[in-house]
Amino acid sequence: IPTSVTEDPNVTFLPKLTYKGGTEGYNLEQLTPIHQVFNKKDLSKGGRYYCGISNLKKETRKRILINGRLTSEIDIRSCHLMFLANQENQVFVGDSYENPLTSREVNKLFINIALNCKSQYQMKNALAKRIEDLNCPFTVEEYLSFLDSKFPWLTKYLGKGTGLSLQRTEAQIMCAAMTSYMKQTKSLVISIHDGCIVAKKYETTMVDCLLKAIKDAFPLTKNEVLFDNVAVLCGGILYKYEEETI
């Protein structure tokens, strides 16, 4: 993907990607191109999409333009938990990362740790260290007890290295959605792990592509309400950038 960047939105570049405003100087040509990373030489695990742009701060990514136009970042909220819920025919109500014990960000971090660790011993040690580092007012046992009460179907996936398999599912869904989007719009899409940046005018098209890819990945799911919940979460574009039109 040819990329370029400017701090002046009035400067025209032949490449599709530019940078609007701000004091930082970014050369997108020097950022790592979109690629997949697999683990343990096993193509059935890992495969998550990475690129240099995904390492930029969210506030910086807000100023990326595609063909000189504003962009939207669309994210599959609670991505890996949602995949597991589909497998278990469970429905999410509200924000699945909300936790009365701690903040949403910390809870999301802890769940990802628990899903990525390969043993119960490794998981409990990793959680204990983070709890101590962050000075959380609860123990590992109390945190795991909360998870079990909120997601009783999730326990069997913790401390089992489930994260790599979930990343493969995520990558397949994102690949299908991005391919469909580009065929329909002929417009650039930038992968951000379990989300993407697209031209704002095509944000609803990307949401539709994501929903179809999710449904295709879980064809045997009996609980259709689950997809309605996902549609609401995906369709509520997490990052609304600027309202003006370029």
Side-chain angles (χ1 to χ4, degrees):
I1 300 173
T3 56
S4 188
V5 71
T6 177
E7 293 185 6
D8 183 356
N10 297 314
V11 175
T12 301
F13 280 81
L14 181 60
K16 294 176 181 288
L17 220 55
T18 53
Y19 176 78
K20 177 178 181 292
T23 57
E24 306 95 333
Y26 290 100
N27 182 355
L28 298 186
E29 290 182 341
Q30 296 178 354
L31 295 176
T32 307
I34 296 174
H35 61 287
Q36 288 181 274
V37 176
F38 291 87
N39 302 77
K40 302 297 184 183
K41 299 181 180 180
D42 184 352
L43 296 183
S44 69
K45 295 181 179 180
R48 167 173 271 189
Y49 283 94
Y50 291 89
C51 71
I53 292 174
S54 62
N55 294 326
L56 299 178
K57 294 179 180 179
K58 289 180 181 178
E59 290 303 311
T60 299
R61 297 202 301 262
K62 290 179 181 181
R63 297 194 290 272
I64 289 176
L65 306 178
I66 295 178
N67 279 344
R69 295 185 178 276
L70 296 175
T71 55
S72 290
E73 184 167 331
I74 304 171
D75 188 276
I76 304 174
R77 181 174 287 189
S78 307
C79 178
H80 289 179
L81 280 182
M82 183 265 292
F83 293 165
L84 292 176
N86 278 348
Q87 292 178 194
E88 297 293 326
N89 288 327
Q90 298 292 324
V91 179
F92 280 165
V93 178
D95 188 340
S96 59
Y97 284 124
E98 287 297 328
N99 185 332
L101 296 178
T102 187
S103 69
R104 183 185 191 277
E105 291 73 19
V106 170
N107 189 39
K108 180 178 179 179
L109 170 65
F110 285 4
I111 289 177
N112 285 334
I113 288 173
L115 287 173
N116 284 304
C117 285
K118 298 177 181 178
S119 69
Q120 292 289 313
Y121 177 80
Q122 181 188 36
M123 176 185 72
K124 290 181 179 180
N125 280 348
L127 288 174
K129 185 178 186 309
R130 288 302 184 123
I131 287 173
E132 181 180 0
D133 291 344
L134 296 173
N135 197 29
C136 298
F138 52 82
T139 65
V140 172
E141 288 72 21
E142 289 170 337
Y143 177 75
L144 292 177
S145 176
F146 168 80
L147 282 188
D148 185 56
S149 64
K150 186 171 184 179
F151 306 119
W153 47 268
L154 181 63
T155 303
K156 66 182 180 182
Y157 294 105
L158 304 181
K160 301 290 180 63
T162 309
L164 289 179
S165 297
L166 291 171
Q167 284 186 19
R168 186 69 189 118
T169 302
E170 167 199 300
Q172 291 172 323
I173 287 173
M174 293 307 302
C175 181
M178 291 189 295
T179 300
S180 177
Y181 169 86
M182 289 187 285
K183 285 181 178 179
Q184 292 181 52
T185 66
K186 304 298 188 290
S187 180
L188 178 70
V189 56
I190 305 167
S191 174
I192 309 290
H193 304 322
D194 59 351
C196 55
I197 295 174
V198 298
K200 183 176 176 62
K201 64 182 290 187
Y202 296 130
E203 62 184 23
T204 56
T205 301
M206 188 70 241
V207 169
D208 290 341
C209 291
L210 277 170
L211 292 175
K212 183 180 185 307
I214 292 170
K215 291 180 181 181
D216 288 346
F218 299 99
L220 300 180
T221 298
K222 298 177 181 178
N223 198 332
E224 292 298 324
V225 179
L226 179 62
F227 293 128
D228 290 338
N229 288 342
V230 175
V232 171
L233 294 176
C234 285
I237 313 299
L238 297 187
Y239 306 110
K240 281 289 190 182
Y241 294 167
E242 291 93 346
E243 292 301 323
E244 72 269 18
T245 301
I246 292 181

